[in-house]
């Protein structure tokens, strides 16, 4: 129903910023809650941030609070993850995900099990 493509990753030094983009195609993007997840080598996939369908509520993991910001622009069918003050421990493949849920426009979904649509991932590598 929707296809997601991430972009914006790269190799950067600690302390700098990156903005990841998630371009959606297919079904109207405004009907989806979205999230960003990451997976480092040898580790489980973990939630980084999530945003409600309305865009009015968001969640961020403790490890990135104050540094990462999730946002969405439904007119452009795009979700973003602004990453500031990057640390080596942020190194991972970052995935965008989307889901349709019947819980209302303010619902924030943080469980990867509830996400049906995933992008291919974009690599973020932070050197010290």
């Amino acid at each position: 129903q929707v296809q997601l493509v991430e972009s914006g990753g790269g190799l950067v030094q600690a302390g700098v910023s990156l903005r990841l983009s998630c371009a959606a195609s297919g079904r109207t993007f405004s009907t989806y809650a979205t999230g960003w997840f990451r997976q480092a080598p040898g580790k489980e996939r973990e939630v980084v941030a999530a945003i409600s369908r309305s865009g009015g509520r968001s969640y961020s993991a403790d490890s990135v609070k104050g540094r990462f910001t999730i946002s969405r622009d439904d007119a452009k069918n795009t979700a973003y993850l602004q990453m500031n003050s990057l640390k080596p421990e942020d190194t991972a493949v970052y995935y965008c995900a989307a889901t349709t849920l019947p819980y209302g426009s303010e619902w924030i979904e943080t469980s990867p099990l509830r996400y049906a649509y995933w992008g291919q991932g974009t690599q973020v590598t932070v050197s010290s």
Side-chain angles (χ1 to χ4, degrees):
Q1 292 183 322
V2 64
Q3 293 180 331
L4 307 173
V5 179
E6 302 97 333
S7 62
L11 173 62
V12 299
Q13 292 183 329
V16 303
S17 299
L18 283 175
R19 188 179 74 163
L20 305 184
S21 297
C22 174
S25 62
R27 188 174 175 179
T28 303
F29 192 55
S30 62
T31 64
Y32 296 88
T34 60
W36 285 94
F37 297 79
R38 67 186 182 187
Q39 187 167 19
K43 296 184 178 181
E44 298 294 324
R45 188 169 300 185
E46 62 179 358
V47 63
V48 176
I51 192 166
S52 64
R53 270 194 283 134
S54 71
R57 296 182 65 229
S58 63
Y59 162 90
S60 59
D62 288 343
S63 60
V64 304
K65 282 183 178 178
R67 299 189 298 120
F68 291 9
T69 302
I70 188 172
S71 62
R72 60 188 296 161
D73 186 341
D74 290 341
K76 297 181 179 180
N77 289 332
T78 303
Y80 303 95
L81 183 67
Q82 178 66 44
M83 305 186 295
N84 298 327
S85 301
L86 282 162
K87 304 175 181 180
E89 52 262 44
D90 295 319
T91 295
V93 176
Y94 283 72
Y95 298 90
C96 178
T99 184
T100 57
L101 294 170
Y103 305 130
S105 63
E106 301 304 312
W107 182 264
I108 300 172
E109 184 56 64
T110 60
S111 173
L113 299 177
R114 296 271 188 157
Y115 283 91
Y117 308 103
W118 294 82
Q120 83 288 351
T122 184
Q123 176 71 47
V124 173
T125 302
V126 184
S127 65
S128 59

